[in-house]
C-alpha cells in the first residue's frame, strides 16, 4: 500500500481529517454495537490517552473498530434486547469490555500471545468478508427507514425482515441514503486511486453528517420520514465501574463475548502496529502491546467505553499526515474532548441514515476478494477455511462462523503434523546435490539406492504414518526397478536435514525401520541429523546398532562411501 508524503505532526491538515474520522467512527461503531452513539465518543477519549503512555507503537491510532463492534453487538443482542432493556445491555457491554481487557493483559503478562496466531490470514479474510456483508445488510434498517427490524445477524432473518416490513420503507430516507452513500463511495474511490488525496475520504463522512444535519434542521417541518439521533449528553465520560457485574446468569455471556471480541481486537491491533512498524524500521513489543490494550480496555470499562484497539484506517490517516509519535493519540483525544464538552448539541438532528451509509462505506473495504482468489490458487485448505468462515458468519452466526474457521485452521495444523511430507530424491548430474525427483527433471535415481527426505520433526503423532509411508516408498521403488530392469535395491538413505526434533516414539521408529530393512536385506542409513536430533540419538544408544556405515553428514558422502565399500567386496 502506498501512502502520501510525511508532514509535520501538528498541522490543521492532520488534525481536521483525524478529527473527522474519529468522530464519525466513534458514533457509527457505537451504533454497530447497538450502543448509544455517545458511548462511541467516550471510547475515543480515555483509551487513546492510556495507550499513548503504555503502548510501544508510534503510529497506532486507538479507538472502536468495526469487527469488534459487530461481534459484541451480535453476541449480546441475541440474549438481551438493546432497545427494550438498555441498562442491562450497557452493563453487559461494559462487563464484556472489562473481560476483554483482562484477557489481553493476561496474555501479555503470561507471554501467551501465540494464541492469537490460530486466527490465520485465511480465516480472517473469510470472517471479515462475511461480517462486512452482514453489517451492510443490517444497515438496510437505516437506509430504508425501517422502524421494526430483527436483531439477528444472519443473512436469512435480515433479508426476511427487510421485505416483511415494506410498509415501513420511507422514500425520503431512501433518497437521502442513496445520495450520501454514492458520495461516500466516490470519495473513497478517489482516495484509493490517488493516495495523496487521502484527506478527501477522511473528510467525507463528517461532511456528510454536517450537510445532512443542516438539511434536516432547515426542512424538519416538511420532512417527517427521516429519523435522527436526538439528544446526546454533553460532558466527560461518566464512571461506569458500578455497572460491572461478576455474578448472575449473564456472566458467562459477558465472559464469552469479552474473550471473542478480545481475540479479534488484539489480532487487529497488533497486526496494524506491526505493519506500520515494519514500514518505518522499528519494532513493536508484542507483550507490551497486549498489556497496553488490556489496561486501556479495563480502564475504559470503568469510564463508559466499549472494546477499543488499534484501527487501521485511523492509523493510515496518522501515517499519511506525518504523525511520528504516540502524541497523535493525545491530539485525537483532545479533539474528542472538545466535541464532548461543546459540540454535542450540533448532532441532535443528524439522520440515522447517514450513520448507516458511513458504516457501509467503512466495512465494504473488508471484502478482500483478491486475497480469496489468491488463497484458491496457492492453498486449497486455506481457501476452505476462508469459505467456511465466510458462510458460517453469513448463515449461522458470527461467533460460530469464527469458531468453525479456527477449527479448520487447527485441523490443518494437525494434518501437517500427523501427515508430514516425504519425497524421493535423486542426484543432479555433475554435482553432489540431491533434490526431489518430482520437482527437478534433471534429478536422476542412483542405482541400488533409495534416498528419502523427511521434511518435518518426528513425533509420536506422525511416527506410525512415517513408518508406513517409508515402507510404501520402498515397495514402489522395488516395483519400479522390476518394471525397468534396473539394479537391485540395496540401501535406503533417510535424509534428516529437515528433521529439527525427535522424541522417543521417533527413535523407536528408526529402530523398527532398521530391523525391517535387515529382514529385507536392505541397509538403512541416516544422513545429516540436526544437532538436537543427534544428541537424542546418542543418548538412546541407537547409533550403535547402525554400525560404522549407518550415519553420514550428507547424502552424497553416504552414496560415495557405501558405493566404494560395495566395490571393495569380492
Amino acid at each position: 500500500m502506498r501512502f502520501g508524503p510525511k508532514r509535520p505532526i501538528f498541522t490543521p491538515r492532520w488534525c481536521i481529517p483525524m478529527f473527522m474520522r474519529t468522530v464519525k467512527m466513534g458514533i457509527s461503531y457505537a451504533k454497530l454495537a447497538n450502543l448509544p452513539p455517545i458511548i462511541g465518543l467516550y471510547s475515543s477519549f480515555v483509551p487513546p490517552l492510556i495507550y499513548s503512555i503504555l503502548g510501544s507503537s508510534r503510529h497506532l491510532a486507538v479507538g472502536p473498530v468495526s469487527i469488534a463492534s459487530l461481534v459484541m453487538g451480535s453476541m449480546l443482542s441475541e440474549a438481551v434486547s438493546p432497545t427494550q432493556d438498555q441498562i442491562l445491555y450497557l452493563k453487559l457491554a461494559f462487563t464484556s469490555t472489562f473481560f476483554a481487557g483482562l484477557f489481553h493483559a493476561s496474555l501479555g503478562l503470561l507471554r501467551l500471545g501465540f494464541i492469537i496466531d490460530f486466527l490465520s490470514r485465511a480465516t480472517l479474510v473469510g470472517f471479515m468478508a462475511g461480517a462486512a456483508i452482514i453489517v451492510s445488510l443490517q444497515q438496510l434498517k437505516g437506509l430504508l427507514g425501517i422502524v421494526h427490524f430483527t436483531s439477528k445477524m444472519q443473512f436469512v432473518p435480515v433479508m426476511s425482515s427487510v421485505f416483511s416490513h415494506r410498509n415501513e420503507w420511507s422514500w425520503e430516507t431512501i433518497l437521502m441514503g442513496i445520495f450520501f452513500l454514492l458520495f461516500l463511495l466516490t470519495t473513497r474511490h478517489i482516495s484509493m486511486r490517488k493516495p495523496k488525496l487521502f484527506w478527501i475520504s477522511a473528510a467525507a463522512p463528517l461532511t456528510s453528517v454536517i450537510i445532512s444535519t443542516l438539511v434536516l434542521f432547515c426542512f424538519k417541518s416538511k420532512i417527517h420520514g427521516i429519523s435522527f439521533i436526538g439528544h446526546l449528553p454533553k460532558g466527560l465520560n461518566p464512571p461506569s465501574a458500578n455497572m460491572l457485574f461478576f455474578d448472575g446468569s449473564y456472566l458467562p455471556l459477558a465472559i464469552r463475548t469479552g474473550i471473542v471480541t478480545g481475540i479479534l481486537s488484539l489480532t487487529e491491533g497488533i497486526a496494524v502496529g506491526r505493519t506500520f512498524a515494519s514500514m518505518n524500521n522499528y519494532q513493536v513489543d508484542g507483550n507490551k502491546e497486549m498489556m497496553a490494550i488490556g489496561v486501556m480496555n479495563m480502564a475504559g470499562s470503568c469510564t463508559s467505553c466499549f472494546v477499543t484497539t488499534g484501527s487501521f484506517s485511523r492509523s493510515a490517516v496518522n501515517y499519511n499526515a506525518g504523525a511520528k509519535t504516540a502524541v497523535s493519540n493525545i491530539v485525537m483525544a483532545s479533539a474528542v474532548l472538545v466535541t464532548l464538552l461543546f459540540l454535542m448539541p450540533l448532532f441532535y438532528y443528524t439522520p440515522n441514515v447517514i450513520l448507516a451509509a458511513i458504516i457501509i462505506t467503512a466495512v465494504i473495504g473488508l471484502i478482500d476478494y483478491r486475497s480469496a482468489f489468491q488463497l484458491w490458487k496457492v492453498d486449497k485448505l486455506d481457501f476452505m477455511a476462508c469459505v467456511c468462515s465466510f458462510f458460517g458468519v453469513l448463515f449461522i452466526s458470527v461467533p460460530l462462523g469464527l469458531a468453525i474457521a479456527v477449527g479448520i485452521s487447527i485441523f490443518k495444523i494437525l494434518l501437517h503434523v500427523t501427515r508430514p511430507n516425504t519425497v524421493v530424491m535423486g542426484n543432479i548430474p555433475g554435482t553432489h546435490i540431491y533434490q526431489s525427483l518430482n520437482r527437478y527433471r534433471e534429478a536422476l535415481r542412483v542405482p541400488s539406492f533409495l534416498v528419502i527426505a523427511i521434511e518435518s520433526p518426528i513425533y509420536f503423532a506422525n511416527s506410525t504414518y512415517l513408518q508406513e509411508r517409508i515402507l510404501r516408498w520402498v515397495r514402489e521403488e522395488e516395483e519400479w526397478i522390476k518394471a525397468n530392469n534396473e539394479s537391485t535395491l540395496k540401501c535406503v538413505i533417510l535424509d534428516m536435514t529437515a528433521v529439527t526434533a525427535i522424541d522417543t516414539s521417533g527413535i523407536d521408529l528408526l529402530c523398527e525401520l532398521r530391523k525391517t530393512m535387515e529382514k529385507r536385506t536392505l541397509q538403512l542409513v541416516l544422513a545429516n541429523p540436526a544437532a538436537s536430533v543427534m544428541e537424542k540419538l546418542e543418548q538412546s544408544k541407537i547409533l550403535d546398532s547402525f554400525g560404522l556405515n549407518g550415519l553420514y553428514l550428507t547424502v552424497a558422502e553416504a552414496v560415495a562411501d557405501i558405493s566404494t565399500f560395495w566395490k571393495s567386496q569380492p
Side-chain angles (χ1 to χ4, degrees), residues 101-254:
L102 184 64
F103 176 72
H104 295 156
S106 301
L107 289 183
L109 189 64
L110 301 176
R111 299 181 178 273
L112 297 176
F114 66 89
I115 291 177
I116 64 173
D117 293 335
F118 283 102
L119 282 177
S120 65
R121 176 175 172 271
T123 299
L124 290 177
V125 167
F127 174 80
M128 290 191 293
I133 293 176
I134 286 294
V135 170
S136 301
L137 294 178
Q138 272 282 339
Q139 302 318 304
L140 291 176
K141 173 186 177 181
L143 285 177
L144 301 176
I146 299 175
V147 178
H148 304 91
F149 201 73
T150 180
S151 60
K152 295 182 179 180
M153 301 294 290
Q154 295 86 34
F155 180 84
V156 175
V158 170
M159 296 307 298
S160 175
S161 182
V162 168
F163 290 104
S164 62
H165 295 93
R166 289 192 299 272
N167 59 316
E168 297 182 5
W169 291 13
S170 167
W171 69 268
E172 300 103 326
T173 303
I174 295 173
L175 189 63
M176 178 178 282
I178 291 176
F179 174 79
F180 281 103
L181 183 59
L182 291 175
F183 170 70
L184 291 168
L185 291 175
T186 302
T187 57
R188 181 177 179 270
H189 179 72
I190 292 172
S191 295
M192 290 179 64
R193 293 290 299 271
K194 298 182 179 181
K196 290 184 179 180
L197 299 178
F198 73 96
W199 56 271
I200 294 178
S201 177
L206 194 58
T207 303
S208 302
V209 169
I210 293 172
I211 295 174
S212 61
T213 302
L214 289 174
V215 169
L216 194 61
F217 176 77
C218 296
F219 299 97
K220 58 186 176 186
S221 59
K222 299 180 181 179
I223 302 177
H224 302 287
I226 300 178
S227 63
F228 49 88
I229 290 178
H231 174 70
L232 293 177
K234 292 194 298 183
L236 297 178
N237 299 31
S240 58
N242 60 323
M243 300 183 73
L244 303 179
F245 60 88
F246 301 102
D247 55 11
S249 59
Y250 289 107
L251 181 60
L253 173 63

Side-chain angles (χ1 to χ4, degrees), residues 4 11 42 72 80 85 96 112 116 130 148 154 160 168 219 242 256 299 312 376 383 396 442 457 482 554 570:
T11 64
Y42 291 156
M72 174 173 283
V80 178
D85 204 341
S96 300
L112 297 176
I116 64 173
H148 304 91
Q154 295 86 34
S160 175
E168 297 182 5
F219 299 97
N242 60 323
R256 188 167 62 251
F312 185 83
W376 168 257
F383 180 76
I396 304 176
E442 300 85 358
K482 185 177 180 180
T554 64

